[in-house]
């Protein structure tokens, strides 16, 4: 599934969050965006999938989690 497809799926349930994360294209941009979105950095988790890929898990203030695949 492409990032655009994932954003479209997210927009079905949360169009505002989809619009906010749409411009985020790399780890640096995500980490710059996170504090303003109320993300608790102490609860962020980065899970290695293989030598090149990670899942970045961000706890949203409303108790949901946002997952980014980063490489």
């Amino acid at each position: 599934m492409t990032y655009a497809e994932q954003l479209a799926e997210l927009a079905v349930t949360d169009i505002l969050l989809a619009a906010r994360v749409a411009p985020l294209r790399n780890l640096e941009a995500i980490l710059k965006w996170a504090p303003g979105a109320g993300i608790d950095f102490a609860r962020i988790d980065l899970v290695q999938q293989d030598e090149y890929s990670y899942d970045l898990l961000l706890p949203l203030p409303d108790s949901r989690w946002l997952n980014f695949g980063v490489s």
Side-chain angles (χ1 to χ4, degrees):
M1 183 178 274
T2 67
Y3 189 53
E5 292 168 335
Q6 291 171 338
L7 286 171
E9 189 173 308
L10 176 61
V12 171
T13 57
D14 193 333
I15 196 162
L16 293 176
L17 181 58
R20 289 181 186 134
V21 300
L24 305 177
R25 298 289 182 205
N26 57 44
L27 183 57
E28 180 182 7
I30 296 166
L31 294 177
K32 285 182 179 178
W33 166 81
I39 305 296
D40 179 2
F41 268 49
R43 296 183 58 218
I44 288 178
D45 200 2
L46 186 64
V47 180
Q48 187 172 9
Q49 298 301 320
D50 60 32
E51 64 264 40
Y52 303 110
S53 303
Y54 297 85
D55 283 344
L56 178 65
L57 305 168
L58 304 171
L60 297 174
D62 63 3
S63 300
R64 294 180 296 165
W65 286 81
L66 186 60
N67 181 8
F68 287 94
V70 294
S71 56

